[in-house]
Amino acid sequence: MIDRWTAVRAATTTGPVVTYGAIGLCCLLFLVGPVSGLNASYGTGSALLTAQTAHFERWGVIPSELLGGSPRALLTPLTALFVHGSWLHLLGNMLFLHVFGAMVEERMGHLEFALFYLGCGYLALLAYAAANAESGHTLVGASGAISGVLGAFLCLFPRTRVTSLYPFLFFLPLRFPAWIVLVFWFVLQWLAQAQNSSSGPGVAYLAHLVGFGIGFLYAWGRFRQAARVKAQAAATEEEGQP
């Protein structure tokens, strides 16, 4: 999906263990939980629906409870990052994390990236809860944290080419610099949030926007000098390439 970063790599040779670990954990929890429909212990029909509802209420963010100060609810912005509402929800998030997470983790290092990922996710879900303080609807998914990764990627690797599929172009695989793809993604989220705000509960686009902004600002503040140097070096290397 992405050309390999050609700048100097981090000293570690263990690979993006946090990225792959988060993907593995999300997939494992989804498969053994009631939402996948693969665990027969949850039953079928109404019993399965009841189990799914209880699952979301236990591990997901409920804004009215979170802002009420319940100690258990204060942990849900972390647990919700590893819970997904459907196969499509899971696969879409994990694809984005796989494509963009490895290079950001490599740049930050394992521990910093893990804290960054959890921090972006927590703050994104907290912002969504604050904007929907009276809501009793449950929010789950890693989208806020992954949006933070996208924001950091835009700051750190704006010239890296990304292969993307565009539905309005019949899903043709086209390659563009990351800054074009991610700015386009951000604008879509912004427009969707504007529409969603007047149509009731749905996808938490606000969490996406907040996570993206936090991720970009963190990477800019933490790595702005190094990111500028690396981006110039990468551009020079690519000038002679087809």
Side-chain angles (χ1 to χ4, degrees):
M1 295 288 288
I2 294 180
D3 295 340
R4 293 301 298 167
W5 179 33
T6 57
V8 178
R9 298 188 177 279
T12 180
T13 59
T14 56
V17 294
V18 177
T19 297
Y20 293 159
I23 292 173
L25 182 58
C26 286
C27 291
L28 176 62
L29 294 177
F30 183 82
L31 291 174
V32 301
V35 184
S36 69
L38 300 178
N39 191 335
S41 66
Y42 291 104
T44 59
S46 60
L48 179 60
L49 291 176
T50 299
Q52 291 173 350
T53 300
H55 181 72
F56 293 142
E57 290 178 347
R58 180 177 183 182
W59 303 113
V61 172
I62 301 177
S64 59
E65 294 185 4
L66 175 61
L67 298 179
S70 165
R72 187 200 68 82
L74 292 175
L75 293 176
T76 56
L78 293 179
T79 59
L81 297 179
F82 302 95
V83 179
H84 290 82
S86 68
W87 281 95
L88 184 61
H89 189 202
L90 172 72
L91 295 176
N93 275 349
M94 295 307 99
L95 176 61
F96 271 87
L97 181 55
H98 172 71
V99 170
F100 294 99
M103 290 174 65
V104 176
E105 179 179 350
E106 187 174 28
R107 183 69 183 88
M108 291 185 177
H110 303 319
L111 179 59
E112 183 176 357
F113 178 76
L115 295 175
F116 165 81
Y117 182 85
L118 295 174
C120 284
Y122 193 103
L123 292 175
L125 295 180
L126 183 62
Y128 177 86
N132 298 272
E134 304 301 320
S135 175
H137 292 88
T138 307
L139 178 64
V140 296
S143 301
I146 296 170
S147 296
V149 174
L150 301 186
F153 194 100
L154 175 61
C155 180
L156 297 173
F157 311 105
R159 297 175 185 266
T160 301
R161 290 188 174 274
V162 179
T163 300
S164 301
L165 301 177
Y166 296 90
F168 55 86
L169 294 177
F170 305 102
F171 293 95
L172 291 176
L174 301 175
R175 299 179 67 226
F176 294 104
W179 73 267
I180 294 179
V181 175
L182 294 177
V183 168
F184 179 70
W185 177 89
F186 182 86
V187 170
L188 288 180
Q189 303 304 303
W190 185 280
L191 294 175
Q193 165 59 24
Q195 181 179 3
N196 192 59
S197 62
S198 61
S199 60
V203 178
Y205 294 109
L206 177 61
H208 300 178
L209 295 171
V210 171
F212 188 93
I214 292 173
F216 183 90
L217 291 175
Y218 177 85
W220 181 82
R222 174 73 171 81
F223 299 104
R224 62 183 180 274
Q225 192 65 35
R228 189 155 47 240
V229 172
K230 291 181 185 296
Q232 292 170 353
T236 300
E237 290 178 2
E238 293 175 358
E239 284 175 356
Q241 298 178 4

